[in-house]
Every structure is written in C-alpha cells, then in structure tokens.
Amino acid sequence: MAERIAEEKIDQIRQAVDIVEVISDYVQLKKQGRNYFGLCPFHGESTPSFSVSIDKQIFHCFGCGAGGNVFSFLMELEGISFQEAALKLASKVNIDLEINLPGGHGEKKVSKEHQAFLGAHELLQKFYHHLLVNTKEGEHALEYLLSRGFTRESIDKFQIGYSLNSWDFVYKFLSKRDFPPEWMEKAGLIIKRERDGSYFDRFRDRIMFPIFDRNGNTIAFSGRSLGAEEPKYLNSPETPIFNKSKILYNYHNAKPSLKKLQYAVLLEGFADVISAERSGVENGIATMGTSLTDEHIALLRQSVQSVTICYDSDKAGIEAAFRAGNHLNNAGFQLKVAMMPDGMDPDEYIKKHGPEKFRNEVIGASLTWMAFKFLYFRRGKNLQLEGDRLAYIEVIIKEISNLNKAVERDHYLRQLAAEFSLSLDALKQQQKQMFFADKRNTSGKNQPVNKPIVIPKKESELKPKHYTAERRLIAHMLKDRDVAYKVQDLLQGNTFNIDEHQAIITYLLGFYEDHFEPDSSTFLSYIQDDNLRRMVANIEMMSINDELSSQELTDYIKQVLNYQKLLKIKEKEVELKEAERQSDHGKAAAIAMEIIQLRKSL
C-alpha cells in the first residue's frame, strides 16, 4: 500500500480543483474586484476579512492570519492530514490516486472507532428503511406514517425506517458483522446492563428518523413511538460523531436550495422540516432540540445571507424564536419571522390548511425582525393601562435605536407615532437620547455590528521601511523567477533582516531549482512551516505593480541593506559615547570618522 502520493498526482489535483469552488462549500463568498471575500471559518467575526484569490489559488484571512492553498484549507478546517485532504479533493474531481489511507502504524484507534461508528449507523439506517417499506414486520409502521400525511417520496428521501420490537436484534446483527459491542455502546446504538454486563437495543418498535451530518453520513437516530409509549421521541445520546450543537437537520439535502435561494427556513424539529419539504419548502432546516449555537451560525454562514424563523406559535416557541433571532441578527443575517396562527406548529398547519397556504400565508407573509419584536414586547401587557403602554413604547424606541438604517428607524417611529397618536418629533428626540446614552454605556465594548465588506489596511503601512521593502521584494520574487535570482545577486551575499523573510526566500530559491514557473499554490505546499505558509499567503495578497522597475528594485534593495548600516551606526554611537566618557579622544575621533563614512554610504 502506497503511503506517499506521487508529485504528479498532486499537481494534477491542484490544476483540476478550483479553490473558490471548494471553499464555497464551507464559506459564503462574494466577489469583490479580483478576489472573493467572506467570513473567516477559523475565527469568529462579523466583518468579512477572509480573502480567496482565484488567480493564485490561495486564501488568506486579514483578521487571524490564516492562509494557504486548497490542501491546507481542508487540513486546518477539518483537522485532517495532507494525504486525507488530497484523497478528498481527488474524489471531488474524479482523479484516481490508486492508494488508500495508511492502515499500519500511525493510524489512531479513535479513527478506527470513528469509521466503525459511521459504518454501523449507515448499515442500520438502510436496514431500518428496508424493514419499513419492504417487510411484513414494518407494515403497521408504514400505514401509520401514511395515515399521518407522509408520502412514499418523503419516506424515501429522508430514509425513514422502523426498528423491530426486539431486545437484542441490533446487538446480534452488528456483532455478526464484527462491530465490537463496546464501540456500539459508545456509538449510542446499544445499552449495557449494569447487573450482568449484557447488551440490549436502544431502539425497539419505533419509527426511525436518521440524523445526517453536513456530508450526508448517518450519525444518529430519533425513534418515535407508535403508541402511547413514553418518551414519544427517543434520541441517540451525544457521541464522538453526534453533537447536537453542531448539527442542522436536513442541511445536506437543503444545501443546493440554500445556495440557490440564498435564504434558509429555520424550523424547530425534523418533523416540521419533513412536512415543510412536502409543501415545496426545500430550504428547511432545524436544530436538534437545542438552542441555536455558534456552530449552527457558522454552518449557516456558508450558504445563506437570510433566515426566516418558523417556530411553533406557543409561548415556548415564541421565546425560542426571539432568542434565535437575536443570535442571527447579531451575526449579521437578514432576518424574518413566520408567525404560526392558533398555537399550531408547521406540521399541524399544513395538515389542516394545505401546502399552498403554508407557503404563501405563513412563509410568504413573514414579518421583519423589527415587526416581530413589536408583537413580542406586547405580550403580557395591557396597552389600555398607561404604565404598560409607556413601558412598551420605551422598549420599542430602544429597539428602534439599534437599527443601522435611518430609513428603517424613521419607518418604525412613524408606525409607533400613528398607533398611539404621539408626536413624531418627540419620539425621534427620545430615540436619539437613548441611542447616545447606550453608546456611552457600551463604549469600549465589542458590539456586534453589521458592516459591508471592508479590506483591512495592510500591516506594511505600520512597519519600518526595511520590513515593507523585504515584503514587496518577496511579492515580486513570487511572481517572477528571474526577479528572484536578480534580488539574490543584488544582495551580494547579505541576507534579509527579518528571519522569516530570509527563510521564505531560501525556500523560494530552492523551489525555483525544480520549478521553472511561479506557482503560488504549489509553493505553499513546498513550504514545511505553517507560520511561513501563512506569511507567504499574506504577502501574495499584497497589491503590487505588475512590473518591477529598475528604480523600484534599487530602492527596495537599498532599504534592505541600509538597515544593517543603521544598526552599525547606532552601535558605533554607543562606542563613541563610551570613548568620550573615558576621555580617549583619539579613539573617539576614529569612531566619529567611521560614523561619517557609514552615513555617507546610506
């Protein structure tokens, strides 16, 4: 079994893969000029500072400094080896590397477990589905689903299944296929009895809804009872492959619609997602019984700009929608809220009123985030009472103060003035007072702000001349092999002043011995040091002239060489002061002449 991928195969992958297309699966990118920008997946931010160059096939974050090529992107984001990243990319562009991942030394036990967890879930998902749609044992479960409005198309699309009414069928089924029981317990599929150490199945006589990760792998189950048995829904526990705070149900199916429509419909549970999908809402997703998390936000950012929240209309659902809305709004999403009537959930509404009404009169009639807050803050208040009315008006004015757009602020202040017959001027004055008071209270604190794409100022503007000169020389050397050798000659055996810069050009000159054409992406793979790789990616993103003139080259070289002379002058000035302190006038005169000659050479 080969443990090293041939260099020509790596080059073949690099030429076939488009870094923008690969990163777009993880980050929502917008074209601006020659590059693409988005929110960095390596650190939390609300202003896009993550840049991808389609020309150079590299990425760089101006915020956290992450940078590299398509291989290093996958390695850093998914925590995988270079070989695993190469295999994943090769599969994407149908290149056969004719190798497998090494299975000997170096493979950790946890990776074997991980593979076993996924394999067992995949096997059971297919078996449960087969039991439901093809066997006599699953007939009653299938009839139940069909009677509840499920279609065969939905059952097949979401791979819904049925678990047998048996205490140990799954345990025996998996054991016969060499899945270790202790691993299957850890995967949440079977449970160990304390009294005798034997095992029994977690799911029995239940309709099985498989839970998928972002790539479509089955990682957990939710089993619904067919009768009055409690709990109504029995879910897999959290395991090494299943973390509720990171999973959005149906994300893998919805991804094409999310990218096409650029908005998601966020529902409370998988039953609502399946019902909404039957109604033609293919961009529906749901959290797994948990509040919206930062991980969910990061996943949504990869595909959409807008989110419509469609939760239950009971008290708990409205509170959950308010919490989720605040989280999404702070993260910069355009936000709407679909209001369900009469305390219904989406599944109930669709069964009663039909798919078309759900699409048009619920999703299509969604409220803006501010309009939802008007309704949210009214709850529990009697607006006929002066105290409740004034408290409501005050909280709404405070919310209006947080709006970024003047037109929106004016619109909602007018709405408030009309509803309560108030002076618009008085409302505007109070709104401004609240805005400035809040600004004073929060000054110095990090507040989430929705901003347009801004390319941060280059670090070089704040650095010494020799530092900037070295970076600009490297930028030109990366573009032109002849320039690289010309710079080497002009340095006349001297080195760059910044150790990292010298290391980069040492790598680059070695690279040019084997590669006759510049190639940013290939060079980044050639560099072994992660820190240097990030620095090169940063330099590659610098804006430089297409052609390096002789005068510009001379000026940069002069700045590099002069820095050593400036350091020497400072050293001599210290020696001069010491000679003068000791009244050694002859030595002082000689040092002074050296300083004069050094300054003349600058």
Side-chain angles (χ1 to χ4, degrees), residues 204-468:
R204 302 178 302 281
D205 191 29
R206 286 178 176 266
I207 292 169
M208 301 299 290
F209 295 89
I211 311 301
F212 303 92
D213 66 13
R214 58 181 295 157
N215 298 314
N217 300 310
T218 307
I219 55 172
F221 292 99
S222 181
R224 190 196 193 284
S225 64
L226 285 158
E229 185 184 350
E230 292 294 333
K232 183 178 178 181
Y233 284 99
L234 178 64
N235 300 321
S236 293
E238 295 219 341
T239 68
I241 62 170
F242 175 52
N243 184 330
K244 287 186 289 186
S245 67
K246 296 180 180 179
I247 298 298
L248 287 172
Y249 181 77
N250 196 45
Y251 182 83
H252 71 296
N253 276 331
K255 198 188 307 186
S257 294
L258 296 174
K259 286 188 175 290
K260 180 181 177 183
L261 300 172
Q262 278 299 293
Y263 90 95
V265 176
L266 180 64
L267 299 133
E268 274 197 273
F270 58 81
D272 291 336
V273 169
I274 296 170
S275 296
E277 197 274 340
R278 294 203 308 270
S279 300
V281 179
E282 296 182 344
N283 55 333
I285 53 173
T287 54
M288 295 301 305
T290 182
S291 297
L292 204 65
T293 65
D294 289 338
E295 288 89 348
H296 294 141
I297 294 286
L299 194 55
L300 280 170
R301 275 176 167 169
Q302 295 171 17
S303 300
V304 300
Q305 297 173 320
S306 305
V307 177
T308 297
I309 300 171
C310 185
Y311 283 3
D312 298 355
S313 57
D314 57 12
K315 183 179 178 181
I318 291 172
E319 289 292 347
F322 183 70
R323 289 194 302 271
N326 278 324
H327 203 160
L328 289 162
N329 184 60
N330 290 341
F333 288 91
Q334 297 169 20
L335 194 56
K336 288 187 176 182
V337 182
M339 297 299 292
M340 300 296 307
D342 306 324
M344 290 183 170
D345 62 31
D347 186 42
E348 292 168 338
Y349 183 92
I350 292 164
K351 283 171 187 170
K352 183 174 180 179
H353 299 290
E356 191 173 340
K357 275 202 168 188
F358 178 72
R359 288 197 311 272
N360 298 330
E361 297 182 18
V362 176
I363 302 299
S366 300
L367 301 175
T368 65
W369 177 230
M370 190 64 219
F372 170 76
K373 287 196 281 192
F374 267 74
L375 295 178
Y376 175 81
F377 287 111
R378 294 176 90 101
R379 296 176 318 123
K381 288 185 174 64
N382 181 354
L383 297 183
Q384 301 303 313
L385 299 175
E386 185 179 2
D388 280 11
R389 187 164 64 250
L390 289 173
Y392 170 73
I393 291 169
E394 185 171 348
V395 76
I396 290 298
I397 293 174
K398 187 173 182 181
E399 292 295 329
I400 291 172
S401 294
N402 293 328
L403 295 173
N404 292 324
K405 296 178 181 176
V407 172
E408 286 184 338
R409 292 195 297 271
D410 184 75
H411 171 78
Y412 289 114
L413 285 172
R414 288 177 186 276
Q415 186 175 312
L416 197 62
E419 182 178 0
F420 294 102
S421 301
L422 297 169
S423 161
L424 180 61
D425 288 339
L427 288 177
K428 285 183 175 180
Q429 186 177 351
Q430 187 168 344
Q431 182 263 312
K432 286 179 181 177
Q433 287 173 353
M434 284 188 172
F435 174 79
F436 289 115
D438 187 58
K439 201 167 186 179
R440 283 194 299 271
N441 292 335
T442 58
S443 61
K445 297 179 183 178
N446 292 324
Q447 296 296 313
V449 181
N450 305 333
K451 296 180 181 177
I453 292 174
V454 176
I455 303 174
K457 292 183 179 180
K458 302 174 184 62
E459 287 183 8
S460 58
E461 293 174 6
L462 305 174
K463 299 292 185 179
K465 290 180 180 179
H466 70 279
Y467 182 94
T468 303

Side-chain angles (χ1 to χ4, degrees), residues 2 4-17 70-71 82-83 85-91 93-99 515 522 525:
R4 182 177 175 82
I5 302 172
E7 189 64 37
E8 56 268 23
K9 286 286 186 181
I10 298 297
D11 289 338
Q12 193 178 347
I13 294 168
R14 193 180 285 112
Q15 290 166 16
V17 168
V70 69
F71 295 96
F82 178 84
Q83 193 175 48
L87 284 166
K88 189 165 187 172
L89 292 168
S91 173
V93 290
N94 298 316
I95 294 174
D96 184 7
L97 297 184
E98 300 172 356
I99 71 161
H515 301 78
T522 305
S525 292

Side-chain angles (χ1 to χ4, degrees), residues 90-229:
S91 173
K92 189 177 181 72
V93 290
N94 298 316
I95 294 174
D96 184 7
L97 297 184
E98 300 172 356
I99 71 161
N100 294 307
L101 286 176
H105 70 280
E107 184 179 69
K108 298 178 182 178
K109 183 180 178 183
V110 68
S111 67
K112 289 182 179 178
E113 282 186 348
H114 187 92
Q115 205 170 17
F117 294 163
L118 291 176
H121 276 86
E122 182 74 16
L123 184 63
L124 279 180
Q125 174 243 299
K126 290 176 179 176
F127 183 71
Y128 287 149
H129 184 65
H130 168 74
L131 282 174
L132 177 70
V133 299
N134 295 321
T135 70
K136 207 162 190 178
E137 290 88 342
E139 272 184 6
H140 67 298
L142 182 59
E143 288 171 6
Y144 174 83
L145 285 170
L146 296 174
S147 71
R148 299 275 298 178
F150 285 78
T151 64
R152 272 304 303 267
E153 186 181 1
S154 287
I155 290 169
D156 289 340
K157 181 172 183 176
F158 292 94
Q159 285 293 291
I160 302 168
Y162 169 71
S163 58
L164 290 171
N165 190 13
S166 166
W167 284 93
D168 60 1
F169 180 84
V170 167
Y171 164 66
K172 291 177 179 176
F173 179 77
L174 294 174
S175 295
K176 285 178 182 176
R177 285 157 180 79
D178 297 325
F179 288 101
E182 58 273 18
W183 285 6
M184 295 305 96
E185 181 198 8
K186 195 174 177 181
L189 297 172
I190 59 177
I191 300 171
K192 189 175 184 178
R193 291 186 178 94
E194 288 186 14
R195 68 172 186 269
D196 59 4
S198 61
Y199 295 93
F200 63 95
D201 298 352
R202 179 177 294 275
F203 301 102
R204 302 178 302 281
D205 191 29
R206 286 178 176 266
I207 292 169
M208 301 299 290
F209 295 89
I211 311 301
F212 303 92
D213 66 13
R214 58 181 295 157
N215 298 314
N217 300 310
T218 307
I219 55 172
F221 292 99
S222 181
R224 190 196 193 284
S225 64
L226 285 158
E229 185 184 350

